[in-house]
Amino acid sequence: MTKIVTPAEAVSRIADGATVTVSSSSGLGCPDLVLRALGDRFRAEGHPRGLTTLHPIAAGDMYGVKGIDHIAQDGLLTRVLAGSYPSGPSNLPMPEIWRMIVEDRVAAYNVPSGILFDMHREAAARRPGVLTRVGLETFVDPVREGCAMNASGAARPIVARVEFAGQTWLHFPNIQPDVCILRATTADEHGNLTYEHEGAYLGGLEQAICTRNNGGLVIAQVKRVTTNGSLRPHDVRVPGHLVDLVVIDPDQRQTTETPYDPAISGQIMRPWSSFDLAEPGVEKAIARRAAMELRGGMTANLGFGISAMVPRILLEEGHPEAVTWAIEQGAVGGMPLTGFAFGCASNADAYIPSPQQFIYFQGAGFDMSFLSFLEVDVEGNVNVSKLGKKPYLTAGCGGFVDITAHAKKIVFSGWFEAGAEIAVSPAGLRVEKPGKFTKMVDRVEHVTFSGNRARAQGQEVLYITERCVMRLAPGGLVATEIMPGINPQRDIVDASHGRVALAPDAVTMPLSLLAEGPMGWQP
């Protein structure tokens, strides 16, 4: 009997009250056609009702791949656990899933991506849930929000603090999926899946195993179907015995606003000269200072925002392969991409499944991590996961909490003030007009990174801005390096309302950060 069905036939098998796990990372690997069919079925029939959905990374974006927004309907969706959610600029309409969250119409949780993958592994093996120290003293911890994003979420706790072997841990009980929806490139008639046009494997295999081990249904969306026996066994990433139904979407996009780019899936290698360099300006100066922390042969993790510019700095310096980059979607090496293609890499050395990448991150196997911030407080806490006034401007925590939990060294990058007008010249930076508000606050809105825990663990933490480099000290934030042209008292101490102290031995950063050509970085 054939496994190939229409989208409507596939979703007709999903029952009321089911828990559905979806493999996706924004537009990357999103099984959008199946999710659209699920939303269409509910509008037509009023079923299935009362679904819980699990999204280790976001499903869909705000630029044409609706993803989770297809199913963001009252009655259809009652609970959602996601590492991240669709996000974008304030000039675009708020995604419907965010509207449901802020209006408390769905019980919603922001769970670190690595922990969500861990939950699938533990449920698959029928172990008693996830026991982890990732997230302690952050919003993940039940002493704070316990991952809950609204009142409905808080009313149904998903994590508890427990004592085990003389230490405090977080325990996430198992959530067993009834349905898995994943995406690949090619399926044969038996349901074996290959990923040759995909920019990442994500967690489809682990999510399918978990669902199958709990007696559930696995639906795969693919671009094309081939005959049995025509796929190389080494290319099969999800074997057919785990797949029940196959839906074909010949028009599925590789990632956000990208129908298909063979360099993203490693089928061609781009010349290094084909990549854009970082645009001159304030953010480039910040990224350059961050790059100065690197040495040849290191492995570094990379996040969104200014941090994503750091590989382009090394490219301009003539050393694009001096550092191995590792990103949470699974690419290792090469050139991590920016903009709509963030989460992908060209010229990668390897692609590994996201769950294995997160094991590497949680255990801090890398040398350092480059991440961004929304705001930093006097204790060194960082918020990247919540912006109450405009919630969908941030995607949530994603892998941020997993990455920072035990990292040996963390370099945060961001603006000291929001909306400041900064003049840039080879002689230095000048604050021509102060910003609307400082990002150095008394208390962050959401603790995505705990400064107190970092101090207790001996982590090295830097905060790099257009005005200074701050370090996490026992007493709080201390500016140890000043950008050329910046007035330390006026532009740092006074602008932060005294929340940032000035080190007595603070030095001036090199003018090479503002050079028109390469700054002279050497591995």
Side-chain angles (χ1 to χ4, degrees), residues 33 65 75 77 86 90 124 129 149 157 180 197-198 207 213 280 294 296 303 350 362 467:
L33 186 63
V65 180
L77 189 62
S90 59
M149 299 175 72
C180 170
H197 287 181
E198 306 303 316
Q207 289 165 273
N213 283 10
L294 290 165
Q362 290 176 351
R467 304 184 187 195

Side-chain angles (χ1 to χ4, degrees), residues 93-298:
M94 181 186 293
E96 186 55 37
I97 185 60
W98 275 109
R99 198 173 303 281
M100 290 185 73
I101 292 168
V102 300
E103 294 175 1
D104 203 28
R105 292 155 45 206
V106 61
Y109 309 84
N110 187 198
V111 183
S113 293
I115 290 178
L116 270 168
F117 284 125
D118 292 341
M119 291 170 71
H120 284 81
R121 184 184 64 241
E122 299 306 290
R126 301 181 185 273
R127 292 188 286 259
V130 175
L131 198 63
T132 182
R133 295 176 67 78
V134 170
L136 281 169
E137 298 183 34
T138 73
F139 79 94
V140 176
D141 196 322
V143 300
R144 295 187 185 273
E145 290 87 353
C147 297
M149 299 175 72
N150 55 18
S152 294
R156 300 175 64 182
I158 61 167
V159 56
R161 267 193 171 218
V162 298
E163 298 299 316
F164 177 75
Q167 291 185 312
T168 300
W169 299 75
L170 299 182
H171 178 241
F172 290 80
N174 285 337
I175 298 176
Q176 299 171 342
D178 304 296
V179 180
C180 170
I181 304 174
L182 58 87
R183 199 187 91 178
T185 300
T186 305
D188 68 12
E189 295 165 298
H190 187 58
N192 294 303
L193 305 179
T194 58
Y195 282 66
E196 62 271 20
H197 287 181
E198 306 303 316
Y201 300 130
L202 303 177
L205 174 60
E206 288 75 5
Q207 289 165 273
I209 290 172
C210 180
T211 303
R212 175 53 55 118
N213 283 10
N214 286 285
L217 174 76
V218 177
I219 302 169
Q221 178 184 306
V222 298
K223 192 174 187 177
R224 57 197 183 184
V225 172
T226 189
T227 187
N228 284 336
S230 60
L231 298 176
R232 292 180 66 249
H234 279 287
D235 294 336
V236 173
R237 305 300 303 189
V238 179
H241 73 284
L242 298 176
V243 177
D244 296 293
L245 303 173
V246 174
V247 171
I248 304 171
D249 180 9
D251 300 319
Q252 65 186 23
R253 297 183 187 182
Q254 190 180 46
T255 188
T256 302
E257 299 220 333
T258 305
Y260 173 59
D261 177 352
I264 284 177
S265 50
Q267 295 185 295
I268 65 168
M269 305 293 274
R270 289 173 53 181
W272 293 113
S273 60
S274 69
F275 294 96
D276 293 333
L277 300 179
E279 291 290 332
V282 172
E283 293 189 349
K284 182 175 183 177
I286 296 172
R288 277 178 159 176
R289 176 59 190 86
M292 288 174 60
E293 297 299 310
L294 290 165
R295 298 292 179 269
M298 284 184 169

